[in-house]
Amino acid sequence: MGVSVLRIRVLVVDDHRIFAESLAAALAAEPDVDVSAAGSGPAALRALERAVAEGRRFDVLLVDADLGGNVPGTRPAVSVRDGNEEGLVDGISLVAGVRSGQPSVRTVVLAEKDDPRRAALALQAGASGWVAKDCSLSRLLTVIRGVLRDETHLPPALLTGVLRELTAARKHRTESERLVESLTPREREVLRCMVAGLGRKAVAERLFLSPHTVRTHMQNVLGKLGVHSTLAAVALARRAGVGPADLAGDVVERGGQLA
């Protein structure tokens, strides 16, 4: 009787067909690897959903950093359930969507060149590794097996730059949190309404205030946060972890400090 081999299910996601097929073929030659390929983010999401429905989830996704030709970090992550239109999901968004919808799946980003900022974005989105596309097959297999042991893999030359980027991002978030903490409870309620996309009149109706009072609160919020527009205030609030007002119920803040 033969010994059964625990197989690793890998999905290669790359819109460069020749590269994707070549990589898939190389990986498929390994005795413990089952591999499939997808040519876009939405196609990858559909493959993930099919795999779940069939009871054979993927273990690792290898995702092209330049998937779709979009700049990473410019769009919110797309839910695994929502990727139905071609071209909607870029590489970093795909990583974040998979992390949110199927957290047991490990993702590794394949990149044409080393880029500390983009590698940091990928790690923040939930990637377990960043690997050069021209690395050896043995190196890639080491990374695949490593991330399944909850290891994080980065090229040594990128490590210092990525740590610097992550530290700067954390410092930026800490400063945003400090500014939000300077607001009064009422101003935080107004800010959460702003995050929810409510205009001055809607905020006034929701909080049972006059439009003039709401205008004053909004001006105070902008002043204390050191910004000049509602969009900038919302972006800063998001960095600080402030969630939108719950339009179906009470005003809420992620983290539960105020409700």
Side-chain angles (χ1 to χ4, degrees), residues 12 16-26 37:
V12 177
H16 295 83
R17 181 177 176 181
I18 294 177
F19 175 82
E21 291 180 350
S22 298
L23 179 57

Side-chain angles (χ1 to χ4, degrees), residues 190-222:
V190 171
L191 178 59
R192 288 190 291 275
C193 289
M194 294 163 66
V195 172
L198 299 181
R200 188 189 310 164
K201 182 178 179 181
V203 175
E205 292 175 352
R206 177 173 177 76
L207 300 181
F208 304 103
L209 299 172
S210 71
H212 176 75
T213 299
V214 171
R215 179 183 179 184
T216 299
H217 282 314
M218 286 184 166
Q219 290 175 338
N220 290 340
V221 167
L222 296 184

